[in-house]
Amino acid sequence: MQKLVLYSALSLILFVACSKDKFQDAPSVTIKSITPTQVPLQSSMVMELEFTDKQGDVDSIFLIKSRLNSVQVPVLNNFYLPFKLPDFPEKTKGDIKITLTYNEYLVTAQKARNQPGAPNDREPDTLNFKIVLKDKSGNVGDTVITDNIVVERFN
């Protein structure tokens, strides 16, 4: 009797494990690299991401930028950054490379505060990005958050 229960339990576990799909309906994204994380004046930053999607119909990626500096100042209205992905053959797994330019995407405070000892004597913007992937079916993946990124300022 014990052997029957043991074999039944093992068979059930094997059946459940083998019948699971490899990917979920909602797309997922992971961060492969971000360079540089200390952004010099007028430089760009590159995010390399990896995605998986069961249907292979990834459509858009959204970056939500948050300024983390302890002293709050007026910020530019560029905190929500949607990117439409180009059409490519449907793939269940692939890479995405996003280049964020200094003035358009990285500068956050309207005017950098004076900070003696900092590069250019201006307080840098410390920020992070929340990354969300959406597919053509409307499925939205989990949010991934970058580590802190420091953007040097001159004004």
Side-chain angles (χ1 to χ4, degrees), residues 6-113:
L6 178 64
Y7 288 130
S8 297
L10 288 175
S11 297
L12 180 62
I13 291 170
L14 186 61
F15 176 75
V16 170
C18 291
S19 66
K20 281 190 159 184
D21 289 335
K22 188 174 181 181
F23 301 123
Q24 299 176 355
D25 285 341
S28 67
V29 65
T30 57
I31 300 168
K32 289 176 71 174
S33 68
I34 297 177
T35 52
T37 54
Q38 174 94 23
V39 183
L41 293 173
Q42 298 299 328
S43 296
S44 296
M45 182 184 78
V46 177
M47 283 188 190
E48 292 188 29
L49 311 169
E50 182 176 64
F51 74 88
T52 56
D53 184 48
K54 183 177 179 179
Q55 291 86 15
D57 61 346
V58 173
D59 179 57
S60 306
I61 190 161
F62 301 90
L63 304 180
I64 298 97
K65 181 172 55 171
S66 298
R67 186 171 186 273
L68 305 173
N69 297 53
S70 57
V71 176
Q72 299 300 310
V73 297
V75 295
L76 300 170
N77 192 17
N78 66 350
F79 57 90
Y80 178 73
L81 310 170
F83 294 94
K84 180 87 170 145
L85 297 177
D87 287 332
F88 54 88
E90 291 186 359
K91 294 172 57 175
T92 57
K93 189 171 185 176
D95 294 328
I96 299 170
K97 183 177 179 180
I98 300 175
T99 301
L100 300 174
T101 56
Y102 185 83
N103 288 323
E104 190 173 2
Y105 299 115
L106 297 176
V107 170
T108 306
Q110 287 181 5
K111 183 166 175 44
R113 295 179 337 118

